[in-house]
Every structure is written in structure tokens, then in C-alpha cells.
Amino acid sequence: MKIINARLRGDEQLFTLQIEAGKFSRISPQEGILFSDLESYDANGNLCSVPFVEPHIHLDAALTAGEPNWNISGTLFEGIERWAERKPLLTEEDVQTRALKTIELLVANGVQFIRTHVDVTDPNLVALKALVKIREQIKDKLHLQIVAFPQEGILSYPNGKGLMEQAIKEGADVIGGIPHFEFTREYGVESMRWVIELAQKTGKLVDVHCDEIDDGAARFLEVLATAALEAGIGERVTASHTTAMHSYNNAYCSKLFRLLKMSKINFVSCPTESMHLQGRFDGYPKVRGITRVKEMREAGLNVCLAEDSIQDPWYTLGNGKLLRVLDSAIHSCHMMGYNELENGLDLITNNGARTLQIEEQYGIEIGKPANFIILEGGNDLEVIQKQGEVLLSVKEGNVLLERKPAEILTGPVFG
Ligand code: FE2
């Protein structure tokens, strides 16, 4: 396979990329525009990028909005109530059907690497078992990581610890947590220490729903970061959401950032979901309820973006388009400075890959697996401006998706 007339991130030139045996075998700058032939894919000056990474999605709950009841208030807590009504209706087939449909949506929008949380506060672990099978079924096409996510708590749910341990035995890759939802602060602290100990014991990664609340007193992030630092496993640990940080006072946050940098943990922000769910206890002014993505980037912390939900009890919209999520973060986090836009795609590509610890499979370099997408636009800024479609998605040399650019058939022409 050969790609011609492609642009690479951070470079104005056109490139030819040769792929052999599923790997990049040659990447060379061109003298000028090459004429296309039957052997080559003509990128037409568009960007050849590493694939998108979806580092935080709930495949078990996806496409259940309104079943059996709609979330009328739109709040996170009503979402948990609606989900508690839907959960007893779960079957393996139901989870698999919806998960595969959602994965197709993500793939159609350039995603090749996914981390899904799966609710394991279920004595039968129905959804977890279903997703473990899906992971096996699609492994040649897509990288899927599964987080054992205790939606209703580890210490606050009957046999919560036992279910987490069982989920690991059944095949979960990542250990989750939800300290701000535990009954007491003490339970929250204990759960974070337990999660890190379990990660040390099992060698698994960690990804915690951490402080997903507007309560400025929710400070489990410092507990998680300290435990990760002391265990020396920070790069394998992720704090998702951390929306309480939006409400922390700046003096505390300044002190906290020192610890976060030392700990080397990763962060996932879900700006569309957080803007929708947070700020619900405010009059005006209302907090935006998004973690400090801009400041994290400036401090050199690893932060990436995720969609979190696709049409589930917490979020009725969602369509698998990470470019939409990025656009939302740019607006809500004041990140439209040119220097922030020119590498904006990092937030839905490289930073997510680092969070998932998949860097050996990731990167447009000779010898690495040929995993890439072609995006409408010649650089990060143009891609974000256009919010265009993914034209081609290739995984290890195999075409996952090819799409013709949309074309206006009739309409005004002014120049
Ligand atoms: Fe989540």
C-alpha cells in the first residue's frame, strides 16, 4: 500500500508513505505533487495523522437513553438512578449488540484505540463478561481496554472489593474507582489506597472516576496521586474527570500541581459531558465544571479528551466524533491561542495513547505498525476548523474505513 500527497503533522511538505507487511517501510518527502495511479491512495494534501484514541467511554451503557425512562433533570445523579433501572434488564446479547454499534460509530470517526469503563457493581458481571468477549472478537481490528468500574462504590456496595477482584480474574485490564461517590470521605480515601495496592499486586493499569463533582472539598485526587507516587506507578495511573478541580481555590491548586507533576499520572477530561452534568447546583454565575485542561497542558501534565457517553442515561447526544469534543474543549477551556491550536490534535491522539500505554503501536515512524487516518485539512488548525470527516482509516495496513469527501452538488458559487 502506498499513500501519496499526504501532509504530516508539523510539516508543510508533501510526503509519500509506503506500507509493507502492515508496517511503515518508507516515509519520504516529495519534490512536488504526484499524479495518482491505481496503486496509490491520493491524500490530496490532507493530513495523515496517528489515529484518534477514545480513552474514556461507557460501552455497556451506550445507546440506552430513554430505556426504560428518560433522564428528565439531566443530572449525573438522576443518570445513576436511571441506569440502576436499566441495569437489571442487561443481557449479554443486549450489551454486545449496543457495544458493537457504538464501536462502529467510533471507527467511522477515526478511532482505533478505545478504553471502556464497565460497571462491575453487578453480582453477575453481565456487562463485563459480554465486553471481554467483544474484545476477543474484534482484537485484529481494534484495541479495546476494559476498566472494572465500580459505579456504586467499592466500599459502599455489597461485596464491592470481591466484585472488583472477580472482574480482574474475568479479564478486565484496568482497575477503576469512584471515591467521591463512596458513602464517606474515609471510604473514598481507603478505596484509593486499595486500588493502588491491587494494581501493584496484579500489574494492571488504573483509571479512576476521580472527583466528578462540583464540590471543591472533594480532594481524592491528592490521595490517588500520592498513592501512585509512593508506589512508583504514576505513568500507569489515570484520573478521569477531576471536575472538582474547577472549584478548588487557586492557592490549593497551585500546591496540588506540584504533586501532580511529581506523580506523573495522566488525566482524562470529558468536556461535553462535564459541561452538561456539572454546574447543576449553581444559580448564576454557574461553574463550567471542567477540569483545568489549559493549565495542565501548560504545566506539562499529560491530559487527553474523551466523549464518556454516547446516548446513555447521562448524556442523550453523542456520535463518536472526537473532533466535536476537541472543539468543545477549545471553547470551554479558553484554548484558542494559535500555539494551543497548532498541536490541538494531541489532545485526542498522542496524549490518549500515552494514557492507554500503547505507544509501541502508535506513531507514524518507519518500523511501527501502519496505524493512521487521513483527515480533511492540511494541519491541526485546518482539521479543527473544518470539523471534517475521516477519509481513510488504516490499522496495521488494513483499511478499516474509506470515505469520499462530501460534495456540494448544487449551490451558490461566488468566486
Ligand atoms: Fe465516565
Side-chain angles (χ1 to χ4, degrees):
M1 182 182 205
K2 190 159 85 167
I3 309 291
I4 60 170
N5 301 324
R7 289 212 155 75
L8 297 176
R9 295 184 65 206
D11 206 316
E12 287 293 302
Q13 298 179 84
L14 291 171
F15 283 84
T16 295
L17 299 99
Q18 186 81 43
I19 292 127
E20 284 168 298
K23 294 186 173 164
F24 292 112
S25 57
R26 194 165 62 88
I27 301 170
S28 45
Q30 297 174 193
E31 289 297 323
I33 297 171
L34 297 181
F35 289 108
S36 56
D37 54 56
L38 288 175
E39 306 292 300
S40 312
Y41 176 90
D42 188 350
N44 275 315
N46 285 311
L47 189 66
C48 177
S49 161
V50 277
F52 293 152
V53 177
E54 172 48 87
H56 186 126
I57 191 99
H58 293 257
L59 291 176
D60 55 342
L63 310 182
T64 62
E67 298 176 5
N69 292 303
W70 291 95
N71 181 343
I72 301 297
S73 67
T75 61
L76 188 152
F77 295 106
E78 189 180 338
I80 294 175
E81 280 175 41
R82 297 287 81 81
W83 177 237
E85 293 167 353
R86 180 61 170 83
K87 211 157 54 166
L89 310 176
L90 291 178
T91 64
E92 200 170 297
E93 197 190 345
D94 160 49
V95 174
Q96 287 180 338
T97 306
R98 288 183 292 98
L100 284 172
K101 268 193 200 164
T102 311
I103 289 169
E104 282 170 14
L105 263 180
L106 291 164
V107 170
N109 290 290
V111 172
Q112 291 184 12
F113 299 87
I114 301 171
R115 176 180 283 179
T116 181
H117 292 253
V118 182
D119 185 0
V120 296
T121 48
D122 161 17
N124 300 316
L125 298 176
V126 172
L128 176 90
K129 288 172 187 167
L131 282 163
V132 167
K133 285 185 187 156
I134 292 268
R135 183 183 60 197
E136 184 62 24
Q137 189 183 324
I138 62 170
K139 69 172 187 229
D140 296 332
K141 295 207 166 105
L142 211 74
H143 177 95
L144 180 64
Q145 284 182 6
I146 299 174
V147 187
F149 169 51
Q151 176 76 70
E152 296 182 54
I154 296 174
L155 285 100
S156 311
Y157 188 78
N159 191 30
K161 286 183 181 175
L163 287 168
M164 291 289 287
E165 285 165 338
Q166 185 60 30
I168 300 295
K169 281 193 198 125
E170 299 278 351
D173 308 289
V174 188
I175 303 162
I178 188 164
H180 57 280
F181 193 72
E182 299 282 359
F183 290 151
T184 66
R185 196 192 69 83
E186 287 73 16
Y187 276 12
V189 170
E190 190 186 330
S191 73
M192 288 300 86
R193 294 197 180 124
W194 184 81
V195 160
I196 293 296
E197 276 169 26
L198 187 61
Q200 284 179 289
K201 231 189 295 175
T202 57
K204 300 289 179 190
L205 303 171
V206 171
D207 192 334
V208 171
H209 279 63
C210 193
D211 302 328
E212 188 186 8
I213 190 166
D214 289 323
D215 176 7
R219 294 184 173 183
F220 297 103
L221 176 55
E222 65 180 20
V223 180
L224 176 65
T226 301
L229 172 67
E230 289 175 355
I233 60 167
E235 288 170 1
R236 290 170 38 210
V237 173
T238 297
S240 283
H241 299 297
T242 61
T243 55
M245 191 195 287
H246 189 106
S247 300
Y248 290 164
N249 68 68
N250 293 333
Y252 170 68
C253 218
S254 168
K255 174 229 164 199
L256 176 67
F257 265 47
R258 174 176 177 267
L259 165 66
L260 299 181
K261 278 191 259 185
M262 289 166 71
S263 74
K264 299 195 174 81
I265 67 170
N266 307 289
F267 296 86
V268 177
S269 174
C270 307
T272 45
E273 181 103 1
S274 292
M275 268 197 294
H276 165 60
L277 292 177
Q278 304 303 318
R280 293 301 184 124
F281 295 92
D282 290 0
Y284 286 95
K286 287 182 194 289
V287 297
R288 294 185 184 189
I290 304 172
T291 196
R292 303 190 187 198
V293 178
K294 181 186 181 81
E295 291 76 12
M296 285 178 181
R297 286 176 87 188
E298 286 168 358
L301 301 175
N302 186 46
V303 55
C304 55
L305 303 178
E307 195 163 17
D308 201 2
S309 286
I310 294 185
Q311 302 162 36
D312 71 13
W314 293 270
Y315 191 88
T316 309
L317 306 180
N319 51 19
K321 290 181 191 280
L322 280 171
L323 280 175
R324 165 181 172 268
V325 173
L326 174 58
D327 185 75
S328 170
I330 286 167
H331 287 88
S332 54
C333 302
H334 292 165
M335 297 194 296
M336 215 180 288
Y338 179 73
N339 58 336
E340 291 164 311
L341 291 171
E342 68 178 348
N343 58 12
L345 292 180
D346 280 347
L347 288 164
I348 53 173
T349 58
N350 295 319
N351 297 5
R354 191 164 148 196
T355 298
L356 266 61
Q357 300 270 291
I358 48 162
E359 286 150 306
E360 75 287 350
Q361 308 172 50
Y362 200 81
I364 297 182
E365 294 166 34
I366 291 170
K368 281 207 169 176
N371 302 328
F372 63 93
I373 52 177
I374 305 285
L375 292 161
E376 288 185 281
N379 54 40
D380 284 29
L381 176 58
E382 283 180 17
V383 168
I384 296 166
Q385 284 169 334
K386 283 176 195 273
Q387 292 281 302
E389 299 284 5
V390 174
L391 301 177
L392 184 73
S393 177
V394 174
K395 182 94 171 22
E396 294 178 25
N398 298 312
V399 174
L400 283 183
L401 175 101
E402 187 174 357
R403 176 187 275 124
K404 276 191 187 162
E407 197 183 338
I408 295 172
L409 298 180
T410 57
V413 178
F414 296 117

